[in-house]
Amino acid sequence: MKKNLIALALAAIVAPMAAQATQSNGIGYTYLQLDYVNITQAGNAGVAQGGMLSGSYGFHDNFQVFGSYSALNFNKVSAYDPVFGHFYWDPKVKPWTLGFGYAFSIGSRADWVSQVAYQHDKNSNHMCLDDYCIRYNASNNFWTVNTGVMGRITDKLTGNAYIGYDHASTSGGSGNLFGQFGLVYSFNPMWAVEGGVRVSNDTNDIVNLGVRASF
């Protein structure tokens, strides 16, 4: 089942390349955005939170490049053992992404959007046992593809719904399927508030809320 979904997602990315360029329908792909990000996990409260700066640049009517940088702090772990003493664990991650997208009109108020992105996660962990501390650093790389619809629900409200797949480049696992949904409410042609949620089959859910400046 997962292989079939992956094949459909890849086909949806390739097929639009043959589509002819269409006139603008009022959906913009050039903006800067600042978000608060919260990551939750099934059966647990929030496990990480922080900020994210992202942006996108649309060109030649149908194409866009985009990227982001985040700084996220995971929940601190602190425990005491009468034999070993006090244990302290403070993990952090600073991921950045760079991607490319293609969009074509499927109506006067909607686009079909397909994107591929590379993500690099820089992880750090400060671990202490009483007064003895060590710092551990590591990194992971991911490839992501997603495809779906972005449309103007009203003149001021835009929404999107994507299905996607990501896979760690150093992992032999089967990857991760996710759904991504978002809304953007524009106060004027430049300023808007936006929010979104990403739900995954690996039990990690990501919620973001922020402000966007469009150009």
Side-chain angles (χ1 to χ4, degrees), residues 135-194:
R135 182 172 293 276
Y136 170 76
N137 295 304
S139 62
N140 295 304
N141 300 308
F142 296 86
W143 287 99
T144 301
V145 294
N146 61 263
T147 188
V149 176
M150 179 179 292
R152 292 191 296 131
I153 302 169
T154 70
D155 290 342
K156 292 184 175 294
L157 185 64
T158 301
N160 69 269
Y162 301 148
I163 184 172
Y165 172 81
D166 63 27
H167 196 289
S169 61
T170 57
S171 172
S174 58
N176 175 51
L177 289 170
F178 63 87
Q180 187 169 318
F181 312 93
L183 291 172
V184 179
Y185 182 83
S186 300
F187 298 105
N188 55 50
M190 183 174 184
W191 293 105
V193 293
E194 53 74 34

Side-chain angles (χ1 to χ4, degrees), residues 32-103:
L32 287 175
Q33 187 169 295
L34 183 63
D35 280 285
Y36 165 77
V37 179
N38 185 274
I39 301 176
T40 61
Q41 195 171 56
N44 297 283
V47 296
Q49 59 183 334
M52 177 175 67
L53 179 65
S54 60
S56 174
Y57 175 72
F59 61 99
H60 291 304
D61 294 333
N62 299 95
F63 300 95
Q64 75 251 196
V65 291
F66 57 90
S68 68
Y69 176 81
S70 305
L72 305 174
N73 295 323
F74 282 79
N75 289 348
K76 296 179 181 179
V77 176
S78 180
Y80 176 76
D81 185 274
V83 176
F84 296 102
H86 181 256
F87 175 74
Y88 178 83
W89 180 32
D90 186 17
K92 304 177 185 293
V93 61
K94 295 182 178 180
W96 60 264
T97 64
L98 185 63
F100 176 81
Y102 180 84

Side-chain angles (χ1 to χ4, degrees), residues 27 49 54 81 99 101 104 113 134 145 154 159 175 188 195 201 204 209 211:
I27 299 174
Q49 59 183 334
S54 60
D81 185 274
F104 69 101
V113 183
I134 61 171
V145 294
T154 70
N188 55 50
N201 69 350
N204 286 318
L209 180 65
V211 61

